[in-house]
Amino acid sequence: MKFQKIFLLLSFLIFTSLYSQRQFVFFGSYNWDKGSEAVYVYELDTETGKLTKVASSSDVINPGYITVSSDGKYVYASSDAKTPNYGTVSSFAFDPDKKTLTFLNQQKTGGENPVYVNVDKSGKWLINATYNQATISVFPLLENGKIDSIAQHFKFTEGSGVDAKRQEKAHTHSVVFSPDFKTVLFADLGADKILQYPFDAIQKQPLIDSQSTFINTKPGSGPRHITFSKDGKLAYSIEELAGMISVYDFSENKLKEIQRIATHPDKIKDGFESSDVHISPDGKFLYATNRGKENNIAIFKVLNDGKLESIGYQKTRGKHPRTFAIDETGKFIIVTNVISQDVTVFKRNLETGILKKVGKPIKIKNVTCVKTKMY
């Protein structure tokens, strides 16, 4: 009898935990002036895919990219994107119970046009990349979520590519931690490089510059964003200019290309503007967005060896899908369409990977980026 009571209690606690979890979705937008909304928070119905607005902030300008701390307490934004001679990172506190978003503070990045920001698992460090001047800045994070002054700053003045318009100089475009948080990869679209830095969160300067390396990508490829397999043994880089995904073996902590596959049908010859890439939580499928002529999501099956097999495309029902996110249940993909200024939600078939639009797109003016977090 005692065992039955314990079993029933544990079952109740597990059931309560599973069904009390809430999924929130965070968006940034180009607001251009401080008087209008810039960062938005919506709650996602994990049964229907419906998004309901719960909070917003107008305290920053042009948050081109956002991220959420591992504990979900803080939201960080690369703000003042596309603002000439300016760039900042900003912090916010988010309370999922009160559903409030509170601006905390802001720091200058030391570079123009910040396009990507990421935070380490410990919540001690924030790393930002700027595009126009190709810089990387590392900021300590305080216990209250505020951003401290710069601890490390790198500026890349060398390097260019074969595309005279887009690759006249270096352009760092993303900051991605390996799953074990011991390595950080930076995609340099302008110089056709992926930079690799060892990362040690307990050091006063966590990026170990003396041990940094890089690999050259294909000329004119323009690497933009990167995602890792869950075990960290494979990395996938989406190439904006070439419209390709390069698959890298990372099992020995060193990038080695094992496949390069197009994100578009063979009939598309140019104007790819490939933008974002993510793997489903179960590791079975990879998704990539194309802007330009296509405005779609390319869908790939992840094979046993980590290589990709194209299985189809899904129109985003909007223009210029800059970023997307897969929610933590793996059920939904949420896409930001900048030019059509809307957000589309798709439901994933967990067995086939195929997508189906749910509900009507929601309107968010000049929406730029999206992140999700389960609470």
Side-chain angles (χ1 to χ4, degrees):
M1 182 66 69
K2 185 177 181 181
F3 175 79
Q4 288 179 329
K5 288 182 178 179
I6 293 172
F7 177 78
L8 288 172
L9 177 60
L10 288 173
S11 298
F12 173 77
L13 291 172
I14 291 170
F15 178 87
T16 303
S17 174
L18 285 173
Y19 287 91
S20 64
Q21 287 185 312
R22 292 166 295 166
Q23 186 102 232
F24 289 93
V25 185
F26 303 83
F27 297 98
S29 69
Y30 293 138
N31 60 330
W32 300 110
D33 64 79
K34 204 172 181 178
S36 57
E37 293 172 304
V39 180
Y40 301 76
V41 186
Y42 282 70
E43 188 164 2
L44 175 70
D45 185 319
T46 54
E47 292 301 318
T48 66
K50 182 181 178 180
L51 289 168
T52 303
K53 185 180 176 182
V54 299
S56 66
S57 172
S58 59
D59 291 288
V60 298
I61 300 173
N62 293 358
Y65 203 85
I66 56 176
T67 194
V68 184
S69 61
S70 59
D71 60 10
K73 292 181 179 180
Y74 304 107
V75 179
Y76 298 98
S78 283
S79 49
D80 300 277
K82 296 183 179 293
T83 304
N85 304 313
Y86 211 75
T88 63
V89 285
S90 305
S91 62
F92 301 82
F94 177 65
D95 187 322
D97 296 320
K98 296 179 180 179
K99 299 181 180 179
T100 56
L101 184 69
T102 306
F103 175 75
L104 297 176
N105 80 324
Q106 190 173 80
Q107 295 283 1
K108 292 183 178 180
T109 61
E112 185 180 303
N113 194 13
V115 289
Y116 207 105
V117 66
N118 214 336
V119 63
D120 82 304
K121 188 177 182 179
S122 72
K124 295 179 179 179
W125 299 101
L126 184 79
I127 307 181
N128 174 80
T130 66
Y131 181 84
N132 287 13
Q133 295 170 325
T135 67
I136 295 167
S137 299
V138 183
F139 301 84
L141 295 174
L142 304 177
E143 289 186 4
N144 60 5
K146 289 185 177 181
I147 307 169
D148 206 346
S149 56
I150 290 177
Q152 286 179 284
H153 183 70
F154 304 96
K155 187 173 183 178
F156 303 98
T157 57
E158 297 180 0
S160 60
V162 297
D163 188 323
K165 291 183 178 180
R166 295 295 310 280
Q167 296 183 305
E168 80 289 358
K169 60 181 180 179
H171 291 300
T172 43
H173 214 309
S174 57
V175 178
V176 180
F177 286 95
S178 59
D180 62 7
F181 286 86
K182 293 181 180 179
T183 303
V184 187
L185 299 184
F186 302 92
D188 187 336
L189 182 148
D192 285 328
K193 289 180 180 179
I194 297 177
L195 309 168
Q196 179 177 332
Y197 280 74
F199 179 83
D200 187 347
I202 67 172
Q203 301 298 320
K204 291 183 178 180
Q205 294 187 324
L207 285 183
I208 305 173
D209 185 37
S210 62
Q211 297 178 31
S212 65
T213 58
F214 69 88
I215 64 164
N216 292 309
T217 63
K218 294 291 188 296
S221 58
R224 179 184 172 94
H225 286 182
I226 301 167
T227 192
F228 277 94
S229 60
K230 192 172 183 178
D231 61 10
K233 293 182 179 180
L234 294 153
Y236 301 83
S237 170
I238 190 163
E239 298 168 355
E240 177 176 343
L241 304 183
M244 306 286 286
I245 292 174
S246 284
V247 183
Y248 296 96
D249 179 277
F250 196 67
S251 57
E252 297 181 0
N253 204 42
K254 184 178 180 181
L255 294 168
K256 180 182 177 182
E257 186 182 300
I258 59 173
Q259 185 190 21
R260 197 159 178 259
I261 186 170
T263 65
H264 52 85
D266 290 341
K267 64 181 180 180
I268 305 293
K269 302 298 182 183
D270 54 25
F272 311 120
E273 294 188 49
S274 300
S275 53
D276 204 7
V277 60
H278 296 286
I279 295 176
S280 59
D282 60 14
K284 294 181 179 179
F285 299 95
L286 180 142
Y287 300 86
T289 42
N290 297 300
R291 297 166 293 177
K293 298 177 180 179
E294 297 170 90
N295 294 305
N296 68 11
I297 304 169
I299 307 168
F300 299 88
K301 182 179 180 180
V302 180
L303 304 177
N304 291 335
D305 60 1
K307 293 181 180 179
L308 303 177
E309 178 184 293
S310 177
I311 59 173
Y313 304 89
Q314 171 64 56
K315 290 288 187 180
T316 66
R317 308 295 180 91
K319 293 182 179 180
H320 208 78
R322 185 173 183 266
T323 65
F324 71 97
I326 305 175
D327 85 298
E328 291 182 60
T329 69
K331 291 181 180 179
F332 299 99
I333 282 183
I334 303 149
V335 184
T336 63
N337 298 301
V338 181
I339 292 177
S340 56
Q341 305 186 58
D342 54 31
V343 173
T344 314
V345 180
F346 294 92
K347 189 166 187 177
R348 294 182 58 243
N349 184 310
L350 302 184
E351 297 300 320
T352 66
I354 299 302
L355 306 177
K356 182 179 180 180
K357 186 178 77 69
V358 295
K360 294 181 179 180
I362 62 169
K363 285 291 182 181
I364 298 181
K365 190 175 181 180
N366 303 317
V367 63
T368 61
C369 52
V370 56
K371 291 288 182 180
T372 69
K373 185 66 180 176
M374 182 81 80
Y375 291 82

